[in-house]
Amino acid sequence: MVRTELSQVLCDPLGFSRQWSREGCRVMGCLDNYVPEEFIHAEEMIPLRLLGSTESVTLADTFLPVFAGKLARSILEQALQGNLVHLAGIVLSNSSDAVRMLYDLWERHIPGQWVALIDVPAILEGETNHRVFRQAMLEFKEKLEKFTGKPLEAAALRRSIAVFNENRRLLKKAAALLSASPPRLSAETYLDAVLSGFVLTKEKHNEYLRQLLESCRRETPDRGGQLVPLHISGPILVDRSFLPLLQECGATMASEDLGTGSRYYWDEVDETGDPIEAVIERYWRKIPDSYKTPMKPRWLHLLSQIERSKARGVIFVIEKYSDEDQYDYPVWRDRLRARGIPSLLLDSELVLEGEQVRTRVQTFVDIVRGGAFS
Amino acid sequence: MTTTAPKKKGRALNSSYEAAIVLKEYWEGAARHRAEGRPVAWVSGNVPIELFWALGIYPVYPENYSAVCASIQRAQELCEEAEERGYSIDLCSYSRVNLGIVLGKGVDHPDLPYGGLPRPDMLVTTRIPCLPQVKWWEVVREFFDIPMFVVDATMVDLPIRESQRQHYLGQIRELIPCLEKKLGVRFQEDTFLETLKLSDRAAEIWLELLDLRTAVPSPVGSREMCGNVFPLVAMLGNPRTIEFFTHLRDEAKQCVQEGKGALENERIRLGWDNIPMWYNLKFFSDVEDRNAIFTYETYLRYVWGGRMDLNDPWTAFADKHLDVWLNYSINQRVRTLLHDIVKFKLDGLVFHQNRSCKRFSMGQRDLAQVIQENLGVSSLFIESDMADPRAYAEAPTRVKMEAFLEMLEGKKS
Ligand code: SF4
């Protein structure tokens, strides 16, 4: 039952959020992992993560070239088509160059919609950058307060932090069930559970996650399959047809370090002390995404996930024209190879194209299964 | 293209021949520095260059080296080396050339221009022009396993905000002791300030030279000027730059005073946006057969070396480095371009949709739209790449250019 609820949310996320708007809720579109959603939540708005769409890009073509990447282009397309007018506003953080430029384009071409840029550094090292990062977050908080007309109350923020932290803990539990041997949660359900969290309110999502975990606890794990456990890495995975394909090829996702997965939810906010500072500190210290430096914590996260899940290989699902991830990939691949872990690179444009992907995945799974990798 | 009037042969300015000598001196200087055991840093566009000259650290520019490789038609093979190692063809071609060398042949392979790239003791880069630059340097660091420092910045809408300035300067205050510690050098403020004076003098002369190109007819076109720009990138703070730029400026000044243009019969004035196609600088001079001249480039005017008010040297130093085209918001680019099109009396603008340099290329459609709406100036888009010739389609581009010139000619008559 809960599995159906989770997957239904993903059939039409924008439709879902439109319904809230009709009910009088204010929904705030968010881009990327450095938007402190706790602030938005504490200001009684619903953060909705914008993940683009696989529809073809026509209007946005005029403003963003193909090499800006599908994510930025398709989000701009949604806005130009008028599909995001129900949102109270949009929040972007200064992440990839394409997203940064998207902010400028939004200001120029989507008149009348409130838009905020959290102008954080890309380099998350050094005292100066730390100061600037904190300042950018505080400026965003002030902008938000001006927008809602009410100050961000410490008590409200503490409540929001508790809700978000619970969400993170529940998702980590789901990740543990995914990695268990045999898995106690299927990869497809895990992905739905993670992605639906970008759409649902965190309270509702927590409720669903609790139900899901409870049902997993009651169910007997399926020992039948002999699926090869793999780790999936990359900035974004929203193509839900990929995991069934993986399974048809004899493998499953046993762990991930996706930008729209564990890199989003892994780190909690410290619940002691000043809540505003604690939220800022969480984003400063969180596992950095590929558009942030340093890369070491990201690598350590990837490794620890692989060790936990005993994944026998890694599939990198990388967005075409996502420079940050494309520079990382050969480095990661070589480091993994040095540890005897094979990897495969798949190009995506929010969707992974059919038959060719299947053939490559099948060959990879066969290699991993056969241990022919050297 | 149809020839309607003879154009001048060779360079418009004789001093432009000096560019190759200066470039050679720079790369030989780098090799000598390395051989003598003095510190070498690999740096990238818009790093605080004067600091390196003041500290006696030789700043080596792999980006320039990639452009050099492109200009002698060596970029493709080096890009392919990088691609074979898993670096996507969609990545910045400067970085692919460099990674092709670093991970392929090796930096000191004798077959490389100027005997190769001197090995770095340290890497310094910045996000000012783009984020991929930082990622590229991370790969290089992985290979050499040496210290790296990255100067961050957020994009600007002029005037620069005090917080942005302090962000920059705060990092410079962290960078100096880092360089001292890692490379065994000592920072002396008076030497640094002297270097800033040299840098600013060179920038002043360069900007005078560019302003001379507002004259009708223009004394010098883009092909030549792209070959002259290098010292502005890598040698600000080095007296040799002042010497070279003075020669160029004086000669151009004389041409303007005498009413002599690079073309005998200049009819159409063009501007160029983005990095040139280094393997195909001929693109610029080909239009001269149609009495058209490229006399303005955002790349030469705003990507390197602005002026500094040395009464407040640290503020000026920060502002100069932040105030660059690639770090401009789209709104700032629009304002700047609207102003310059009038100043340079341009009839048309060519936008190089450079698939390598995304930060440069995003927003170009907005620029084209605005200049058309506000000034009635038309533009042409060509899709290509600054270093990788595989992205350039000669025949269709020539046809497009031909049609564009015809249209501009029609508009004029
Ligand atoms: S992407 Fe552009 S700015 Fe960045 S390194 Fe390449 S050429 Fe330079």
Side-chain angles (χ1 to χ4, degrees):
Chain A
M1 175 64 183
V2 67
R3 289 174 171 81
T4 320
E5 305 271 9
L6 291 172
S7 74
Q8 258 169 8
V9 173
L10 298 170
C11 296
D12 183 14
L14 286 182
F16 220 85
S17 63
R18 249 176 236 122
Q19 182 56 33
W20 287 320
S21 297
R22 277 195 289 272
E23 288 164 9
C25 300
R26 294 219 268 186
V27 183
M28 187 63 79
C30 303
L31 263 100
D32 115 349
N33 284 348
Y34 287 82
V35 175
E37 294 177 9
E38 293 88 339
F39 288 175
I40 296 169
H41 184 268
E43 284 279 1
E44 295 176 349
M45 289 187 280
I46 302 174
L48 171 83
R49 177 67 170 264
L50 298 180
L51 292 167
S53 99
T54 52
E55 313 258 298
S56 57
V57 172
T58 52
L59 300 179
D61 232 0
T62 319
F63 305 110
L64 271 180
V66 172
F67 49 71
K70 184 72 190 244
L71 182 67
R73 277 161 53 81
S74 73
I75 292 174
L76 184 61
E77 178 74 17
Q78 289 177 319
L80 292 168
Q81 297 273 7
N83 293 336
L84 303 180
V85 281
H86 65 290
L87 300 181
I90 302 286
V91 187
L92 303 95
S93 92
N94 188 352
S95 51
S96 67
D97 286 347
V99 169
R100 173 60 189 80
M101 297 305 256
L102 186 59
Y103 168 71
D104 283 0
L105 293 171
W106 212 283
E107 280 204 311
R108 292 177 64 79
H109 302 294
I110 317 292
Q113 190 160 44
W114 187 85
V115 55
L117 171 72
I118 311 177
D119 219 359
V120 285
I123 315 306
L124 303 181
E125 283 175 319
E127 230 174 84
T128 306
N129 285 324
H130 187 216
R131 180 172 50 73
V132 173
F133 186 92
R134 178 176 174 274
Q135 196 51 41
M137 289 288 197
L138 290 175
E139 277 168 19
F140 169 62
K141 178 187 83 73
E142 277 165 29
K143 191 163 181 181
L144 204 58
E145 288 172 331
K146 228 180 249 166
F147 178 66
T148 59
K150 59 188 174 77
L152 186 64
E153 301 287 350
L157 184 56
R158 278 203 188 91
R159 280 194 297 277
S160 299
I161 292 171
V163 172
F164 273 70
N165 275 353
E166 187 189 2
N167 190 255
R168 290 165 181 140
R169 287 191 290 269
L170 291 168
L171 284 168
K172 277 193 199 174
K173 281 184 187 162
L177 297 179
L178 175 77
S179 304
S181 178
R184 316 227 10 193
L185 179 65
S186 77
E188 290 89 330
T189 306
Y190 171 80
L191 187 68
D192 286 357
V194 174
L195 292 178
S196 59
F198 290 125
V199 185
L200 291 162
T201 64
K202 285 287 183 267
E203 288 83 350
K204 189 75 192 165
H205 193 227
N206 285 349
E207 195 185 312
Y208 282 153
L209 288 176
R210 280 191 293 268
Q211 286 175 25
L212 179 68
L213 296 173
E214 181 55 27
S215 74
C216 292
R217 203 179 55 79
R218 275 186 271 118
E219 286 159 11
T220 324
D222 176 12
R223 292 175 181 276
Q226 286 295 312
L227 299 173
V228 176
L230 297 177
H231 177 88
I232 310 294
S233 182
I236 179 168
L237 178 63
V238 286
D239 183 349
R240 293 162 67 227
S241 66
F242 175 64
L243 295 176
L245 179 149
L246 195 60
Q247 187 162 2
E248 282 156 29
C249 294
T252 188
M253 174 174 80
S255 56
E256 50 85 12
D257 72 299
L258 295 161
T260 50
S262 63
R263 276 191 236 156
Y264 164 75
Y265 70 72
W266 203 256
D267 305 273
E268 290 179 33
V269 178
D270 182 359
E271 292 189 42
T272 60
D274 181 296
I276 293 171
E277 295 298 337
V279 169
I280 296 174
E281 218 36 35
R282 185 265 172 191
Y283 286 90
W284 170 261
R285 291 187 189 286
K286 77 177 271 304
I287 296 155
D289 280 89
S290 47
Y291 42 83
K292 300 287 182 199
T293 285
M295 55 202 295
K296 191 173 173 189
R298 192 163 65 256
W299 165 247
L300 294 178
H301 177 63
L302 181 148
L303 269 192
S304 74
Q305 295 299 309
I306 294 175
E307 275 161 23
R308 205 169 49 79
S309 69
K310 302 192 176 52
R312 291 172 57 195
V314 176
I315 295 183
F316 291 93
V317 178
I318 293 192
E319 281 297 292
K320 202 162 159 52
Y321 307 113
S322 168
D323 291 340
E324 299 79 30
D325 297 279
Q326 287 177 340
Y327 279 109
D328 279 354
Y329 159 69
V331 174
W332 282 182
R333 175 203 61 196
D334 292 351
R335 286 184 185 183
L336 290 169
R337 187 178 283 163
R339 289 165 181 266
I341 302 170
S343 65
L344 171 72
L345 170 68
L346 297 177
D347 273 341
S348 155
E349 287 195 278
L350 297 182
V351 64
L352 287 132
E353 287 301 347
E355 274 320 294
Q356 212 212 358
V357 168
R358 181 183 297 277
T359 313
R360 298 190 60 216
V361 170
Q362 186 65 69
T363 311
F364 179 69
V365 172
D366 291 344
I367 291 172
V368 174
R369 207 200 307 264
F373 174 75
S374 64
Chain B
M1 292 181 185
T2 342
T3 304
T4 55
K7 65 171 183 192
K8 284 188 183 177
K9 295 282 168 245
R11 304 277 201 274
L13 306 177
N14 276 324
S15 312
S16 296
Y17 287 108
E18 213 178 313
I21 302 167
V22 178
L23 187 63
K24 190 159 176 272
E25 283 170 7
Y26 165 83
W27 284 107
E28 284 172 357
R32 208 167 39 247
H33 212 82
R34 172 80 288 167
E36 288 165 1
R38 288 186 281 159
V40 168
W42 277 18
V43 299
S44 64
N46 307 119
V47 296
I49 180 67
E50 295 86 353
L51 206 53
F52 295 88
W53 290 110
L55 284 164
I57 301 165
Y58 209 99
V60 164
Y61 274 82
E63 275 165 278
N64 166 260
Y65 197 80
S66 296
V68 168
C69 292
S71 68
I72 57 168
Q73 314 302 330
R74 293 281 309 273
Q76 182 175 334
E77 70 182 78
L78 295 164
C79 283
E80 283 166 357
E81 290 261 11
E83 288 153 26
E84 270 167 33
R85 285 161 179 80
Y87 291 90
S88 165
I89 194 167
D90 298 323
L91 294 173
C92 163
S93 51
Y94 281 172
S95 75
R96 278 181 286 134
V97 169
N98 179 252
L99 295 175
I101 294 170
V102 171
L103 309 172
K105 285 178 183 299
V107 289
D108 28 33
H109 196 281
D111 158 43
L112 291 167
Y114 306 114
L117 275 156
R119 281 171 185 274
D121 299 302
M122 186 162 171
L123 305 168
V124 182
T125 187
T126 170
R127 188 179 53 146
I128 290 174
C130 72
L131 190 57
Q133 175 66 64
V134 179
K135 300 299 294 186
W136 162 14
W137 248 225
E138 276 180 339
V139 179
V140 174
R141 171 169 63 175
E142 178 84 5
F143 181 82
F144 286 114
D145 195 19
I146 53 174
M148 170 164 125
F149 193 99
V150 185
V151 181
D152 206 338
T154 53
M155 289 174 90
V156 300
D157 243 327
L158 296 177
I160 290 159
R161 284 184 280 121
E162 186 56 27
S163 57
Q164 294 181 304
R165 189 174 290 131
Q166 290 311 324
H167 182 199
Y168 186 81
L169 289 175
Q171 293 171 92
I172 298 301
R173 282 191 280 274
E174 290 174 25
L175 172 62
I176 294 171
C178 174
L179 291 171
E180 288 182 320
K181 192 165 156 224
K182 306 276 184 207
L183 301 179
V185 291
R186 259 202 74 209
F187 177 74
Q188 283 173 325
E189 193 165 17
D190 45 356
T191 315
F192 174 62
L193 295 179
E194 274 312 307
T195 315
L196 286 193
K197 274 189 204 155
L198 293 175
S199 165
D200 188 52
R201 181 77 191 117
E204 182 182 15
I205 303 167
W206 178 259
L207 295 181
E208 283 170 9
L209 169 62
L210 294 190
D211 278 353
L212 286 165
R213 300 170 74 215
T214 58
V216 182
S218 170
V220 55
S222 295
R223 179 174 186 173
E224 215 167 305
M225 288 300 289
C226 287
N228 290 334
V229 70
F230 170 68
L232 194 73
V233 181
M235 295 170 67
L236 279 178
N238 185 320
R240 182 69 173 97
T241 306
I242 298 178
E243 191 186 30
F244 173 47
F245 286 176
T246 304
H247 295 160
L248 289 169
R249 192 262 329 259
D250 290 351
E251 210 185 328
K253 199 173 192 172
Q254 185 154 3
C255 290
V256 172
Q257 276 163 0
E258 292 169 5
K260 268 188 0 200
L263 302 187
E264 282 174 8
N265 180 23
E266 176 187 302
R267 282 187 42 79
I268 294 171
R269 295 168 66 82
L270 298 169
W272 171 266
D273 181 54
N274 217 309
I275 305 173
M277 299 177 277
W278 294 110
Y279 49 87
N280 185 22
L281 289 178
K282 208 169 125 317
F283 177 86
F284 291 131
S285 50
D286 278 350
V287 301
E288 294 175 1
D289 289 339
R290 292 289 290 257
N291 295 318
I293 187 160
F294 279 95
T295 191
Y296 170 80
E297 314 77 9
T298 50
Y299 175 72
L300 298 187
R301 176 59 186 80
Y302 295 105
V303 176
W304 320 105
R307 294 296 312 276
M308 288 180 276
D309 174 3
L310 294 177
N311 291 314
D312 185 358
W314 286 99
T315 297
F317 179 64
D319 287 5
K320 185 198 93 159
H321 286 95
L322 294 170
D323 182 353
V324 291
W325 188 265
L326 282 154
N327 201 37
Y328 283 172
S329 66
I330 297 178
N331 287 340
Q332 184 58 45
R333 291 181 194 188
V334 165
R335 284 192 290 274
T336 307
L337 198 57
L338 281 174
H339 170 268
D340 284 2
I341 284 179
V342 175
K343 180 176 169 182
F344 282 80
K345 307 166 195 84
L346 302 181
D347 300 304
L349 213 90
V350 177
F351 287 97
H352 175 200
Q353 187 109 102
N354 179 356
R355 67 199 305 284
S356 264
C357 194
K358 296 170 183 132
R359 180 89 87 90
F360 221 138
S361 305
M362 287 188 277
Q364 283 179 318
R365 294 279 172 191
D366 280 54
L367 300 187
Q369 209 175 55
V370 173
I371 63 171
Q372 179 68 54
E373 282 167 12
N374 290 30
L375 303 173
V377 171
S378 310
S379 40
L380 173 74
F381 275 76
I382 60 164
E383 280 130 44
S384 188
D385 188 282
M386 69 225 170
D388 188 342
R390 289 171 293 176
Y392 178 66
E394 171 79 15
T397 310
R398 282 182 76 91
V399 170
K400 270 164 97 172
M401 192 67 208
E402 185 88 30
F404 184 56
L405 290 174
E406 255 164 43
M407 190 268 288
L408 294 179
E409 274 162 10
K411 250 175 131 178
K412 284 217 117 177
S413 52

